[in-house]
Amino acid sequence: MSSAAEQEAVQDPEREAVQDPGTVAAVRAEIVEVRRTGHAEAQRAAAPAPAVWPGAPMPLGARFRVGPDGVAGTNFALWAGGAEAVELCLFDERGAETRCPLTELTHEIWHGFVPGVRPGQRYGYRVHGRWDPWTGARWNAAKLLLDPYARAVDGTFALPPEVYGHVRDWPDQHVADTVRDDRDSAPYVPKGVVVHDDDDWVEDRRPKTPWADSVIYELHVRGFTKLHPDIPRELRGTYAGLAHPAAIEHLTRLGVTAVELLPVHQFAHEDHLLRRGLHNHWGYNSIGYFAPHAGYSASGTAGQQVGEFKRMVRALHDAGIEVILDVVYNHTAEAGELGPMLSLRGIDNRGYYRLEGDPRRYADYTGCGNTLHVVQPQVLRLITDSLRYWVTEMGVDGFRFDLAAALARSMHDVDMLSPFLAVIAQDPVLRRVKLIAEPWDVGNGGYQVGAFPPLWTEWNDRYRDAVRDFWRGALPDVRDLGYRLTGSSDLYAWGGRRPYASVNFVTAHDGFTLRDLVSYEQKHNEANGEGNRDGTNDNRAWNCGVEGESDDPGINALRRRQLRNLLTTLLLSTGVPMLVAGDEMGRTQGGNNNAYCQDNETGWVDWSLLDQPRWRELTALTARVLTLRRTHPVLRRRAFFSGRAQAPDGLRDLAWFARDGREMTESDWYAPAATLGLYLSGRDIPGRDARGEPVTDDSFLAVLHAGAEPTSFALPGAPWADAYELVLDTSREEQAEAPGTVLDGGAEVTVPARSVLLLRVVE
């Protein structure tokens, strides 16, 4: 190897000095030998390249089609701004590689049509260019790169040293990212797969549930189905398992209208987890934005996962259930400057990622090492092309955007006029699907709850916090709770937004399960291997007097009552409720509030809980309250409450009552209170039905009492009601299906400790 090449192995000391010359001398010979043998092995492995015709620069990705003269083949197109050359690499069943130079370049897109390449062909790219980390240039043709537009991925991501563009184990980690590693990564990385687009989605298969009528059920494809006893063993943990009638029957019995799937884009596992023998279970580490994660496929990974995913969506749609994807476009699995080189980093690092003033470093608004540079046209195109693909060709009905504030950043600050939000608002496909923002990121100014524009709904963490605090007795007053129960008008009543802009939740995948919320006050994440430092410390939980599982019947009864209170409050609140899979049957993670790496019984739904009467009753209560919600439009309003009568002979659409039966005054809102009465008038619902007729319903009174002792409550009399029928009482383990007790308006009733009463006005 020439002395110039040797000097390249250890970078220019004037740029970044390596402090230990002795260590560098010891490592230099190893790096030089690796480069020499690596180049030789690659040359021996390369087979003669087939003919490559010019092809077309669009669409991006690998598309099987009929080319010139009726010849079948595949068109390959890759955006690689700034690259000097691109090689398409084809792999046979034995893993032998054939390299095909792409010589056509149109608007920074390298493209070519390869006759005879058919669906099932595995492929990747090698992209040539400068290695100059100080300017952000990190091209390294020794690394096989996944096509960002690959529609299927075959193989598992492991992270040996060979898959890093730099020498991962360089002695001085401060400059390790500047030392290029020339070992071939192809044997160690998954390959893209050519997929035949053989199926057009029929629009009328979609349930198209209006936002106001929606109930979201957040689940993990693998975790939800892995232990289900009625799903065939070979289908558990897969898309086919979720499509199985046994899984769908549970969803329809509950009455949810949409499943929100934790990430199903192809993802990779982090190095620190693999070193501890763990895996990324949740999947918030995407690397393939068009490919269904291959690990969830029961039918194969050579493209079969695409058809299996589509069949899952169809089965859910046939049951009236929409499919919403949790998507991670804010960062990728390539992490920071010390992360692996899997795809975008080697295609054009500066074009895809936000870099700091020192271009060696990555701007990190996500806490995951990097942030996609959504202001760049090619990045915005990648994201929107991906979104449209999942809607038009895979049949999904909406998206929940992880750390959406990172996508709304312009150059630095969050900007609600950002290119990303502007493109979504005018896109004829995307503006018609459900759009949910996780309205924060970890950067300065990243908390944006209530700030996203019309068309968007948001995860409302202020709802979560207020409801948790009320039921654990930690609210200083009930002002915030009043807003949260009625759609959070203080956050969303602007710009034409509606109450369903608020996605209400008490728990999510990130944090305690509902059962753990009433069983633990401290996190117990020791199994994650991070010294219990990971996960939030702000749990707003109450363990009912004992940390963890208890044999005390009284404590367990209280915990189940609190579960009923939390679920009932969530499902009766105005807005869109979101349940988490298993909460309705008492699922526990043993106090782990960050089970992202627990691909085991901790992270899976335990279906055996339904064999226990106490948890079956909780599931039945959930279904019953959802039936009430579905039956009564007053519980799923399409407009905010006005506090006024909608008709001359009507009552105010919303009224609040104190324990003594009088309407609450302004001073009542500022006083500590454990009891709150909420009257919803069914005669005063704004809007009309599809035929233009007024919408009318029963009226209801909900009484929430978080006190440790029973309390008296005077039921409002005329003109609010002459009598009430008791519909729900969460102090009861079992809910009677027969009509409830009838109580006179103006009567004083006893509200059990820590309970919700729902009463229907008797006309």
Side-chain angles (χ1 to χ4, degrees):
M1 193 174 192
S2 67
S3 58
E6 291 181 2
Q7 291 172 4
E8 188 182 18
V10 178
Q11 300 297 327
D12 184 349
E14 293 183 359
R15 293 217 185 214
E16 191 74 59
V18 178
Q19 300 301 317
D20 186 351
T23 302
V24 170
V27 173
R28 177 184 295 152
E30 177 185 351
I31 300 300
V32 170
E33 178 64 14
V34 163
R35 290 182 173 175
R36 182 185 66 79
T37 58
H39 286 312
E41 291 172 0
Q43 290 170 0
R44 287 194 298 271
V52 179
W53 298 350
M58 294 187 291
L60 292 170
R63 303 298 288 269
F64 174 71
R65 62 181 178 85
V66 176
D69 301 323
V71 176
T74 299
N75 192 84
F76 295 89
L78 177 74
W79 183 91
E84 296 172 359
V86 172
E87 292 177 298
L88 168 68
C89 305
L90 305 176
F91 294 85
D92 65 17
E93 294 299 323
R94 298 176 292 108
E97 177 180 355
T98 300
R99 299 187 185 180
C100 309
L102 298 181
T103 58
E104 298 295 324
L105 180 61
T106 305
H107 303 309
E108 299 186 312
I109 297 172
W110 300 79
H111 55 92
F113 179 85
V114 185
V117 169
R118 307 187 68 85
Q121 173 67 58
R122 299 189 307 152
Y123 73 100
Y125 290 106
R126 297 183 188 273
V127 181
H128 298 256
R130 294 182 303 113
W131 176 264
D132 189 10
W134 296 273
T135 63
R138 293 184 179 271
W139 284 285
N140 185 343
K143 308 305 171 183
L144 186 77
L145 305 174
L146 183 68
D147 179 4
Y149 280 73
R151 301 197 173 194
V153 176
D154 181 48
T156 302
F157 281 99
L159 294 178
E162 289 83 356
V163 305
Y164 290 76
H166 65 283
V167 180
R168 187 191 70 180
D169 300 322
W170 187 258
D172 188 346
Q173 286 290 292
H174 179 61
V175 294
D177 69 289
T178 69
V179 185
R180 195 180 70 205
D181 186 316
D182 280 354
R183 287 173 287 188
D184 184 13
S185 69
Y188 309 100
V189 294
K191 316 306 189 285
V193 181
V194 177
V195 174
H196 185 26
D197 299 321
D198 59 352
D199 193 10
D200 293 326
W201 194 263
V202 178
E203 182 71 15
D204 62 7
R205 292 173 177 164
R206 301 175 187 271
K208 298 181 181 178
T209 306
W211 258 126
D213 300 337
S214 296
V215 178
I216 298 173
Y217 189 81
E218 187 192 45
L219 67 82
H220 187 286
V221 169
R222 179 172 168 83
F224 184 71
T225 61
K226 186 63 178 175
L227 298 178
H228 199 301
D230 297 326
I231 296 175
R233 189 173 300 276
E234 66 274 13
L235 301 184
R236 296 176 191 172
T238 69
Y239 306 119
L242 183 54
H244 191 273
I248 292 178
E249 191 274 335
H250 181 77
L251 300 173
T252 56
R253 186 172 69 247
L254 277 181
V256 301
T257 70
V259 290
E260 182 176 301
L261 307 182
L262 268 66
V264 295
H265 288 165
Q266 184 69 44
F267 62 86
H269 305 293
E270 295 91 332
D271 181 66
H272 69 92
L273 292 178
L274 295 174
R275 289 171 184 262
R276 297 201 299 270
L278 299 170
H279 297 89
N280 188 317
H281 176 52
W282 287 349
Y284 290 90
N285 207 36
S286 300
I287 197 62
Y289 290 130
F290 290 77
H293 185 65
Y296 302 155
S297 174
S299 54
T301 60
Q304 297 94 332
Q305 60 265 54
V306 177
E308 185 177 328
F309 185 93
K310 291 180 179 180
R311 291 189 292 274
M312 176 198 73
V313 174
R314 282 198 176 88
L316 289 163
H317 281 183
D318 288 345
I321 298 171
E322 293 185 304
V323 178
I324 297 171
L325 302 188
D326 196 335
V327 290
V328 189
Y329 294 112
N330 55 76
H331 76 281
T332 76
E334 293 184 302
E337 60 269 16
L338 296 178
M341 181 174 284
L342 306 173
S343 182
L344 305 182
R345 173 175 283 136
I347 295 171
D348 186 351
N349 184 57
R350 295 176 297 189
Y352 278 109
Y353 292 115
R354 290 180 179 265
L355 304 181
E356 295 281 14
D358 174 2
R360 273 181 59 194
R361 314 299 182 192
Y362 293 78
D364 184 8
Y365 296 113
T366 67
C368 300
N370 65 53
T371 307
L372 280 176
H373 201 350
V374 181
V375 174
Q376 296 280 19
Q378 65 276 3
V379 181
L380 189 58
R381 179 180 179 182
L382 170 68
I383 294 173
T384 53
D385 282 353
S386 168
L387 292 169
R388 281 189 292 268
Y389 170 74
W390 286 97
V391 173
T392 61
E393 299 193 41
M394 302 295 275
V396 307
D397 305 285
F399 305 94
R400 179 264 187 189
F401 292 82
D402 180 65
L403 300 181
L407 299 173
R409 289 184 181 270
S410 291
M411 295 311 297
H412 300 289
D413 296 333
V414 177
D415 178 6
M416 291 304 160
L417 298 176
S418 67
F420 172 75
L421 294 178
V423 166
I424 296 292
Q426 61 79 43
D427 188 282
V429 172
L430 301 180
R431 69 188 181 200
R432 294 188 295 114
V433 302
K434 287 182 165 65
L435 302 170
I436 306 171
E438 182 183 36
W440 51 77
D441 64 21
V442 301
N444 290 332
Y447 186 76
Q448 294 290 325
V449 172
F452 275 72
L455 293 183
W456 288 81
T457 63
E458 302 175 16
W459 271 25
N460 188 351
D461 66 329
R462 290 184 60 179
Y463 178 93
R464 174 199 64 196
D465 293 349
V467 171
R468 288 187 180 192
D469 282 349
F470 176 75
W471 286 112
R472 70 190 181 105
L475 274 184
D477 53 54
V478 290
R479 285 176 294 161
D480 199 42
L481 182 67
Y483 277 120
R484 304 308 146 230
L485 296 177
T486 55
S488 295
S489 60
D490 58 329
L491 300 175
Y492 301 113
W494 63 273
R497 304 186 82 182
R498 299 297 184 95
Y500 46 77
S502 177
V503 175
N504 300 329
F505 66 104
V506 177
T507 59
H509 66 275
D510 189 1
F512 281 148
T513 68
L514 200 65
R515 178 175 168 184
D516 288 353
L517 187 66
V518 300
S519 304
Y520 297 87
E521 293 183 5
Q522 307 299 321
K523 64 187 181 184
H524 297 270
N525 300 352
E526 291 80 6
N528 295 354
E530 301 176 37
N532 205 34
R533 295 184 300 274
D534 63 303
T536 183
N537 293 315
D538 182 19
N539 294 297
R540 299 174 187 255
W542 179 49
N543 62 18
C544 298
V546 174
E547 185 73 359
E549 293 299 310
S550 172
D551 295 328
D552 186 316
I555 288 177
N556 287 330
L558 174 57
R559 288 175 174 176
R560 292 194 299 275
R561 180 181 295 198
Q562 288 290 82
L563 291 180
R564 295 193 293 274
N565 291 334
L566 290 163
L567 280 170
T568 301
T569 303
L570 172 65
L571 299 180
L572 294 180
S573 296
T574 302
V576 178
M578 184 184 79
L579 293 163
V580 178
D583 275 354
E584 76 281 5
M585 63 181 83
R587 175 175 170 259
T588 177
Q589 293 179 168
N592 191 321
N593 74 352
N594 189 35
Y596 78 105
C597 57
Q598 297 300 317
D599 186 12
N600 49 43
E601 287 81 359
T602 297
W604 302 339
V605 173
D606 180 6
W607 292 92
S608 70
L609 292 167
L610 291 178
D611 296 332
Q612 304 175 41
R614 57 182 179 174
W615 300 123
R616 283 202 307 273
E617 287 297 333
L618 186 65
T619 305
L621 172 68
T622 305
R624 185 177 182 198
V625 181
L626 282 175
T627 298
L628 279 170
R629 184 183 183 91
R630 183 170 60 253
T631 305
H632 293 285
V634 73
L635 300 178
R636 42 185 174 82
R637 288 173 55 97
R638 287 165 166 76
F640 286 107
F641 294 97
S642 67
R644 299 186 299 272
Q646 301 298 315
D649 61 343
L651 300 172
R652 289 197 306 281
D653 57 3
L654 171 69
W656 302 93
F657 291 91
R659 290 190 303 118
D660 57 7
R662 62 180 176 80
E663 289 191 64
M664 291 177 62
T665 63
E666 183 175 358
S667 62
D668 290 325
W669 289 106
Y670 288 84
T675 310
L676 188 65
L678 168 61
Y679 184 97
L680 305 174
S681 174
R683 290 188 294 164
D684 297 272
I685 302 175
R688 295 183 294 173
D689 64 17
R691 296 179 179 270
E693 298 296 327
V695 177
T696 59
D697 191 16
D698 294 329
S699 297
F700 288 89
L701 175 69
V703 180
L704 287 71
H705 175 53
E709 300 296 333
T711 188
S712 61
F713 191 94
L715 300 177
W720 303 100
D722 294 326
Y724 297 87
E725 177 192 15
L726 183 62
V727 178
L728 287 174
D729 178 356
T730 62
S731 69
R732 301 175 181 174
E733 192 87 48
E734 300 181 10
Q735 299 294 316
E737 294 296 334
T741 304
V742 175
L743 303 166
D744 291 333
E748 189 170 282
V749 299
T750 298
V751 182
R754 296 191 174 97
S755 65
V756 178
L757 301 184
L758 182 67
L759 304 105
R760 184 181 65 85
V761 173
V762 178
E763 297 291 345

